[in-house]
Amino acid sequence: MTDDPYIACLASIHWHNDDAPPPDAAQRDWLLEQGSMTLRFEQHCRKVTVRRGREGYFPASAVGPEITLLPVCDRYWLREVILYGDGQPWLAGRTLIPASALIGAEWALTTLGDTPLGKWLFRDDMPVRDYIQLGKMKSLWARRSCFRPSGKSLLLTELFLPDAPLYR
Ligand code: VNL
């Protein structure tokens, strides 16, 4: 388990269907951001930094319900982070990718270290994003998306923490 309470919150997000109350216009603009959230955060602070939680291969049995959103595989690469804007926690992020997809360019995903994922994902142009599903953890907004770089599947979950600029 993770020792960071914000990362632990990623497991209790309630995912919305179309019937849930929508975010207000300003928050909606953040939540439906198509480009890199790291880049967007960088416009609201001097420096964005990453602190990693769990990172590594996990068996399918350890992944949780979101596994149904990804291709079947016996193990998955998991990366959990907190993203900070000028030292304030702004976002809890979780990335899940089937191990079978970590070939070719995608192998670099395992070597990101403290470099934000967006620097890799958005390096050339906009990768294909299947959908954005919104959700909430108490009063905090969350979203998740499946990206398809070179036909592979990458599930990103992002929880916007209380200090994040979208609540201002
Ligand atoms: C990371 C950075 C992940 C920014 C994110 O969402 C994010 C990361 C999953 O470095 O892992 O918005």
Side-chain angles (χ1 to χ4, degrees):
M1 274 309 281
T2 170
D3 55 357
D4 188 297
Y6 282 135
I7 288 179
C9 287
L10 287 166
S12 5
I13 297 167
H14 172 74
W15 294 108
H16 291 174
N17 298 313
D18 293 337
D19 53 348
D24 67 36
Q27 293 177 340
R28 191 185 144 80
D29 186 64
W30 277 95
L31 292 163
L32 299 187
E33 168 67 50
Q34 294 291 320
S36 162
M37 194 52 72
T38 303
L39 215 61
R40 179 123 186 213
F41 278 171
E42 279 172 350
Q43 294 160 16
H44 294 264
C45 65
R46 280 186 300 274
K47 196 163 173 50
V48 169
T49 48
V50 164
R51 192 166 63 73
R52 281 178 288 167
R54 294 190 296 175
E55 187 177 43
Y57 289 105
F58 287 82
S61 58
V63 166
E66 65 205 323
I67 201 169
T68 57
L69 303 170
L70 285 168
V72 174
C73 196
D74 56 351
R75 46 185 207 144
Y76 292 77
W77 181 263
L78 170 75
R79 172 178 162 97
E80 293 176 328
V81 301
I82 300 284
L83 216 62
Y84 294 84
D86 291 342
Q88 305 263 66
W90 281 2
L91 181 139
R94 175 176 160 100
T95 305
L96 204 57
I97 178 166
S100 56
L102 290 171
I103 49 168
E106 281 64 35
W107 188 76
L109 280 171
T110 63
T111 63
L112 287 174
D114 292 333
T115 303
L117 171 71
K119 302 275 182 209
W120 179 85
L121 196 56
F122 296 92
R123 65 195 181 286
D124 311 319
D125 44 23
M126 202 75 87
V128 180
R129 190 196 291 257
D130 271 16
Y131 55 84
I132 298 181
Q133 186 179 18
L134 301 186
K136 279 201 143 173
M137 207 301 291
K138 304 214 172 107
S139 61
L140 301 179
W141 281 103
R143 65 174 195 167
R144 66 181 173 188
S145 294
C146 205
F147 283 90
R148 309 270 177 199
S150 36
K152 293 160 183 158
S153 299
L154 206 72
L155 183 68
L156 264 68
T157 305
E158 295 165 306
L159 174 67
F160 294 86
L161 302 178
D163 289 328
L166 88 156
Y167 302 112
R168 283 178 203 154

